[in-house]
Amino acid sequence: MLNKVSVYFLGSFFLLLCGLFIFGLGVNFLIFDYVLFLDWEFLSLNSCLMTMTFLFDWMSLIFVGCVFIISSMVIYYSESYMSSDPDSVRFYFLVFLFVMSMMMMILSPNLMSILIGWDGLGLVSYCLVIYFQNYKSYSAGMLTILTNRIGDVAILLSIAWMLNYGSWHYIYYVGFWDYWSFYLISLIVLAGFTKSAQIPFSSWLPAAMAAPTPVSSLVHSSTLVTAGVYLIIRFSGMLNFNVSFVLMLSMMTMFMAGLGASFEFDLKKIIALSTLSQLGLMMSILFIGYPVVAFFHLLTHAFFKALLFLCAGLMIHCMGDSQDIRHMGGMVKNLPFTCTCFCISNLSLCGLPFLSGFYSKDMILEIMSLSYYNFFVFIIFYLSVGLTVAYTARLIYYCLTFNSNYYSCNSYVEDNIMMFSMVILSLMAIFGGSLLSWLLFNPILVVFPLYLKIMPLVFVSLGGWLGYDLSCSDFFGVLYTMRMYVVSFFSGSMWFMPTFSTYMLYSNFLYLSKMYIESMDVGWGEYSVSNSSLIYSSFLSKLMNYYHYNNVKVFMLFFMLMILFMLI
C-alpha cells in the first residue's frame, strides 16, 4: 500500500511543479510576445535526418500548464478514490500516459507528431473506459474508439493532402489560402468534430462515463474532448470560407446537450452532457471568428468542470456507487464541504458574476450579439445559456436539498486527500477566470442598450425557474414532466443519436464486415488459392510422417503388393 500511495503522491507533486513553472513561462511568453520553435534531431544516419519539432508559444504553454495542474489534482484525488482497487498502479500509469499524450498533441506544430498524441489519446482513453471490465464498459469503449477512429482517419488523410504543400508544419500556412486548403480544413474540422463529440458524433461522450470518475474528470475538463477544439483553434487562421453549416452543427450540439441534461437522471451523464454543451459553445464562437475567446472559455471550463466531477465522484462513492440523482438528497447535511465545492463549480458553470465561468460566457454572449449573424443564432445561444442554468438548478435541488429520497446504502465520509484536491480546484474555479481575463485581453468596453446588456441575466433567471419546474412532482411523487412523456423522452434521448450510432449504424457495418470476412478471409477463395501451397506441403509432410513412423508395415505392404502384381 505504501508503494501505491508514494507513486500517486510523487506523480501529482511532479505534475503540479511542472504545471506551475510552465504556466509562468507561458505568461512570460505572452507578455513579451515570444515564440520558440524547437527542432530536436534525434536520429542522424548518413544523409537521413529525423527531427521532432515543438512549438512553444503563449497558447501552448498556458494550456499545458493548466492541463498539468488539473491532472496533478486529479491524480492526487485518485490515490484515495482508487485505494481499494487491486490494479491502482496500472490505473496511475494509464492516466500519466494520457496526460503525456495530450502534452504531445498541444506542443506539436506538425501533423505527423500531432497524430502521435492524437492516437495516444484515443487508445489510452479506450483502455480507461474499459477499466471496469463488464459488458457495459466494453460497449462504451467500442463506441468511443470507433467514433474516434473517424477523426484519426481524417488526420491521416490531411497528412496525405499536405504532400501538396512543401511541409507538414501547419504553422507555415496559417493565413495562407488557396483552393487546396478547403479540403485540408474540411478534414481537420471533421477530426475536431469527432474528438469533441459534435453532432453527428455526440453519442460516445455520455457513453464514456463508464470510466472511473477521476478519468472522467480529466477527460471532460482539459484533455480528450478539448483536443478537437484546440486543433481547430490552431488551424483557425486558415478558416477563410463560409462556415455557416459547421456553426449550425455546433449550436445544435449546444442546444441538444442542454436539453438532454435537463431530463437525465444519471449524475455523471448530466455532467457529461454539460461538457458537450460547453464544447458546442466553444466551437460556435470559434466558427464565428474568435479563436482566442474560445481558448479562454476552454481554460475556464477546465477549472470548474474538473472540480464538478471530483465532487460528483465523492457523492457517488458515498451513495454506494449509485449514480442516480433520485437516490440522493439532503447531502448538504452530511457532506458540507463537498457540497460547497459542488455549488461553487455549478455556479461558475452557470456564469454567476465574478466566478470563473462568468468572464468567458459573458464575453462570448456579448461578442455573439455584436457579430452579424441572424436571429436564429442569437436565440439558440441565449436558450442554451438558460438550459445550462436549468439542469444545474435541477441537479442542486435533487442532490443537495430535496430530502425525501434517502438511499439506504450510504456511507458519508470526507477524505482529507480528496478535500485538498477540491480546495485547489475551487480556488481556480473562483479566481482563474479573472486572472486569465486580465492576462489575455486588453481592457475592452462593449456598449449595449440596457435590455441587451441584462439579457444574459434574464435568461439565467428564467433557466433557474425552469430547472426548479422540471424537478417538481405531485403528492404521489410523479414528475409533472412525465405528463408530456413523448416530449420528455425525445428531449432526454439526445434526439435518438445513441440509437442511430449503435443499433442503426454500427450494427449494419459490423454485419457487412462479418459477411466479407466469411466470404473472403475464411471462404473458398482463401482455402483453394491462398492456402493451396500450404495444403499441398501439409499433405506431403503428413505422408512422410506416416511413412517414418510406420516404415516396417509400409515396406511389408509394398512388398506384398509388388508380389501380387508380378503374379498377376
Side-chain angles (χ1 to χ4, degrees):
M1 185 63 199
L2 189 61
N3 291 334
K4 294 177 186 176
V5 171
S6 62
V7 163
Y8 278 94
F9 177 74
L10 285 173
S12 61
F13 185 68
F14 167 74
L15 281 175
L16 183 62
L17 286 182
C18 287
L20 290 170
F21 172 73
I22 293 171
F23 185 83
L25 200 61
V27 171
N28 192 40
F29 276 41
L30 175 65
I31 292 167
F32 293 107
D33 196 17
Y34 190 65
V35 178
L36 198 62
F37 202 72
L38 182 70
D39 258 341
W40 170 43
E41 185 184 305
F42 63 89
L43 181 65
S44 174
L45 185 65
N46 295 337
S47 61
C48 175
L49 298 178
M50 296 193 74
T51 58
M52 179 69 78
T53 314
F54 296 104
L55 172 68
F56 298 101
D57 65 343
W58 69 268
M59 188 178 278
S60 60
L61 287 170
I62 285 178
F63 194 21
V64 168
C66 291
V67 167
F68 276 14
I69 292 167
I70 291 169
S71 306
S72 69
M73 290 301 104
V74 170
I75 287 174
Y76 190 60
Y77 174 94
S78 305
E79 181 187 321
S80 173
Y81 192 89
M82 304 297 288
S83 58
S84 58
D85 192 88
D87 295 321
S88 58
V89 175
R90 176 166 65 96
F91 174 79
Y92 163 76
F93 282 111
L94 278 172
V95 172
F96 204 80
L97 193 60
F98 196 64
V99 176
M100 291 301 114
S101 298
M102 189 66 193
M103 184 194 76
M104 184 75 193
M105 193 242 142
I106 295 168
L107 295 177
S108 300
N110 185 317
L111 272 180
M112 297 291 276
S113 48
I114 278 176
L115 186 68
I116 299 170
W118 190 270
D119 252 349
L121 284 171
L123 291 171
V124 179
S125 68
Y126 175 71
C127 296
L128 288 166
V129 169
I130 63 166
Y131 185 80
F132 295 134
Q133 296 175 5
N134 53 50
Y135 284 114
K136 186 185 173 188
S137 297
Y138 289 150
S139 304
M142 191 54 70
L143 178 61
T144 302
I145 200 164
L146 284 176
T147 310
N148 280 309
R149 288 316 284 169
I150 300 169
D152 299 346
V153 169
I155 293 277
L156 285 168
L157 287 173
S158 47
I159 286 171
W161 194 254
M162 282 193 86
L163 288 170
N164 296 307
Y165 298 81
S167 167
W168 278 308
H169 291 295
Y170 68 83
I171 201 83
Y172 295 162
Y173 306 107
V174 171
F176 167 76
W177 176 257
D178 67 353
Y179 66 97
W180 291 104
S181 303
F182 173 75
Y183 304 101
L184 174 66
I185 289 298
S186 301
L187 288 167
I188 294 296
V189 168
L190 174 64
F193 265 46
T194 54
K195 201 63 106 181
S196 293
Q198 303 297 294
I199 286 175
F201 309 109
S202 303
S203 54
W204 73 264
L205 195 135
M209 289 294 98
T213 306
V215 175
S216 305
S217 173
L218 204 53
V219 163
H220 289 265
S221 63
S222 57
T223 52
L224 181 68
V225 294
T226 56
V229 180
Y230 181 76
L231 185 72
I232 300 177
I233 288 171
R234 280 302 197 186
F235 275 86
S236 59
M238 299 175 77
L239 286 170
N240 284 350
F241 59 93
N242 188 5
V243 291
S244 301
F245 176 66
V246 281
L247 172 62
M248 187 195 72
L249 288 179
S250 300
M251 289 192 314
M252 287 293 99
T253 307
M254 176 169 62
F255 182 67
M256 176 269 295
L259 204 59
S262 301
F263 292 94
E264 182 60 63
F265 287 105
D266 187 317
L267 177 57
K268 282 177 74 174
K269 279 193 178 175
I270 291 172
I271 306 175
L273 287 165
S274 154
T275 304
L276 188 54
S277 175
Q278 300 308 304
L279 287 169
L281 185 63
M282 293 172 213
M283 284 285 193
S284 302
I285 198 66
L286 172 54
F287 288 124
I288 286 174
Y290 296 91
V292 178
V293 179
F295 181 70
F296 177 40
H297 187 56
L298 190 151
L299 293 181
T300 56
H301 168 260
F303 298 149
F304 59 73
K305 191 51 62 74
L307 175 62
L308 192 55
F309 262 112
L310 295 190
C311 296
L314 185 54
M315 288 178 175
I316 291 165
H317 232 36
C318 293
M319 299 305 295
D321 295 333
S322 168
Q323 297 182 16
D324 198 321
I325 58 173
R326 289 168 293 194
H327 290 164
M328 301 175 187
M331 296 187 85
V332 72
K333 299 172 188 170
N334 303 293
L335 300 171
F337 183 83
T338 306
C339 291
T340 306
C341 295
F342 189 71
C343 286
I344 288 170
S345 54
N346 268 319
L347 293 172
S348 186
L349 170 64
C350 293
L352 187 78
F354 313 115
L355 288 180
S356 198
F358 163 74
Y359 290 93
S360 54
K361 290 186 86 166
D362 200 60
M363 183 184 288
I364 286 172
L365 285 171
E366 290 186 345
I367 285 174
M368 183 275 306
S369 303
L370 280 174
S371 63
Y372 297 98
Y373 276 93
N374 54 27
F375 183 70
F376 177 74
V377 175
F378 187 85
I379 201 70
I380 288 289
F381 261 83
Y382 278 106
L383 282 176
S384 302
V385 167
L387 284 171
T388 302
V389 187
Y391 62 70
T392 303
R394 177 172 170 267
L395 198 59
I396 290 174
Y397 178 81
Y398 266 103
C399 295
L400 309 188
T401 60
F402 188 51
N403 58 359
S404 66
N405 44 4
Y406 277 116
Y407 188 52
S408 57
C409 305
N410 47 27
S411 165
Y412 296 110
V413 60
E414 289 187 321
D415 196 336
N416 287 335
I417 291 175
M418 293 184 176
M419 282 162 64
F420 177 77
S421 302
M422 288 180 202
V423 167
I424 303 294
L425 287 172
S426 297
L427 292 173
M428 292 166 75
I430 295 167
F431 301 112
S434 54
L435 174 70
L436 286 166
S437 176
W438 296 331
L439 285 171
L440 298 182
F441 304 103
N442 295 322
I444 51 172
L445 181 65
V446 181
V447 180
F448 276 139
L450 180 65
Y451 70 90
L452 210 53
K453 199 71 175 174
I454 63 167
M455 187 76 82
L457 291 175
V458 169
F459 272 87
V460 162
S461 308
L462 287 173
W465 168 75
L466 177 65
Y468 178 74
D469 218 36
L470 287 170
S471 311
C472 288
S473 55
D474 59 19
F475 182 73
F476 299 102
V478 179
L479 285 170
Y480 291 129
T481 49
M482 290 295 105
R483 293 178 184 175
M484 300 178 293
Y485 184 70
V486 176
V487 177
S488 303
F489 180 70
F490 176 70
S491 303
S493 65
M494 291 177 67
W495 299 349
F496 304 129
M497 213 170 297
T499 309
F500 176 74
S501 299
T502 50
Y503 306 130
M504 294 175 68
L505 190 64
Y506 287 141
S507 57
N508 292 337
F509 276 110
L510 290 173
Y511 180 67
L512 185 67
S513 64
K514 178 173 174 285
M515 283 172 56
Y516 277 143
I517 201 168
E518 284 177 352
S519 60
M520 295 167 71
D521 272 12
V522 292
W524 281 106
E526 176 79 9
Y527 184 76
S528 58
V529 179
S530 304
N531 283 348
S532 56
S533 58
L534 178 67
I535 292 165
Y536 177 66
S537 56
S538 175
F539 173 72
L540 274 181
S541 63
K542 283 180 184 175
L543 190 63
M544 296 302 291
N545 200 18
Y546 180 75
Y547 170 71
H548 280 298
Y549 276 106
N550 301 284
N551 50 3
V552 178
K553 288 188 282 185
V554 171
F555 279 139
M556 290 299 294
L557 182 63
F558 270 107
F559 184 68
M560 295 297 292
L561 284 172
M562 284 175 67
I563 290 176
L564 187 63
F565 278 125
M566 285 170 66
L567 288 173
I568 291 173

